[in-house]
Amino acid sequence: MTLSGSRALSHPLSAEFERLADYLELMSVRMGERLRYTLDLPDELRGTPVPPLLLQPLVENSIRHGLEPKVEGGAIDVRARQLDGRLIIEVSDTGVGLDAAQTSEGSGFGLEQVRERLATVYGDQGRMSLAAGPSGGTLATLSFPLQPRS
C-alpha cells in the first residue's frame, strides 16, 4: 500500500494516519511493551489533502534513532491541528533526543524526502523543523497551508 500510495500527488490525511497505524502496529509486534503510541487526528482534518509518505519517515526516524537505542523504549505521539489557516502536524517521541548538529537541520534520506515533498507542493510556505522535545526526545513539526499553492 505504501508504494502505490507514493505514486499519488496527494491523499487524505486520514490515509496517512491509517498507514502510520499499520506501521506502528507492526513495530509494536517487534518492540513489544517498549513502544507506546498515540495518533490524534481531529475529524475536521481527516479529508485534508496532503502529499503521500509525509509522516512515515518521521515516525521511522523516531523509532530507529530515538526509541530503539533506549533500553526501555518510549512513546511516539502524532498530532494534527489547524492554526491560522495552516495544518500543523507534530511527531514527538520520548527517545534519546537529538545532538546539537541535528537540532537545527536534521539530515538523512527520509528527512530530505519530506522537505522535498513540502517544497514541491507548498513552496516556501511548507516548513519542517526538528527540535528537542519538551520532556526529552525529539519533536518534528510540519507546517503548511491547508490549501496547496496554485
Side-chain angles (χ1 to χ4, degrees):
M1 276 187 359
T2 298
L3 288 175
S4 65
S6 69
R7 293 184 187 104
L9 296 177
S10 72
H11 64 180
L13 186 55
S14 61
E16 194 76 0
F17 270 68
E18 288 164 9
R19 286 199 181 110
L20 283 183
D22 291 343
Y23 174 73
L24 287 165
E25 276 302 307
L26 200 87
M27 293 308 296
S28 290
V29 170
R30 189 172 117 202
M31 292 181 69
E33 293 180 9
R34 295 182 57 231
L35 175 61
R36 298 174 309 284
Y37 68 89
T38 60
L39 300 175
D40 181 7
L41 176 59
D43 286 340
E44 65 271 13
L45 296 176
R46 292 184 63 75
T48 303
V50 296
L53 294 176
L54 198 59
L55 301 178
Q56 189 165 331
L58 301 177
V59 171
E60 287 175 359
N61 276 355
S62 286
I63 290 173
R64 182 173 179 205
H65 301 294
L67 301 184
E68 282 185 335
K70 216 173 161 181
V71 172
E72 68 275 20
I76 296 175
D77 298 307
V78 183
R79 176 182 177 222
R81 61 190 167 95
Q82 180 179 331
L83 180 66
D84 299 328
R86 295 181 69 82
L87 180 63
I88 311 294
I89 304 172
E90 297 170 328
V91 177
S92 62
D93 68 60
T94 60
V96 296
L98 295 169
D99 64 27
Q102 290 175 308
T103 302
S104 61
E105 266 311 299
S107 60
F109 181 76
L111 295 179
E112 200 53 43
Q113 291 299 306
V114 171
R115 284 189 180 97
E116 285 180 21
R117 280 183 170 78
L118 289 173
T120 299
V121 177
Y122 303 102
D124 61 1
Q125 293 296 307
R127 298 184 185 100
M128 181 181 84
S129 66
L130 293 176
S135 55
T138 303
L139 172 64
T141 304
L142 303 179
S143 171
F144 49 88
L146 282 167
Q147 296 297 320
R149 66 182 179 168
S150 306

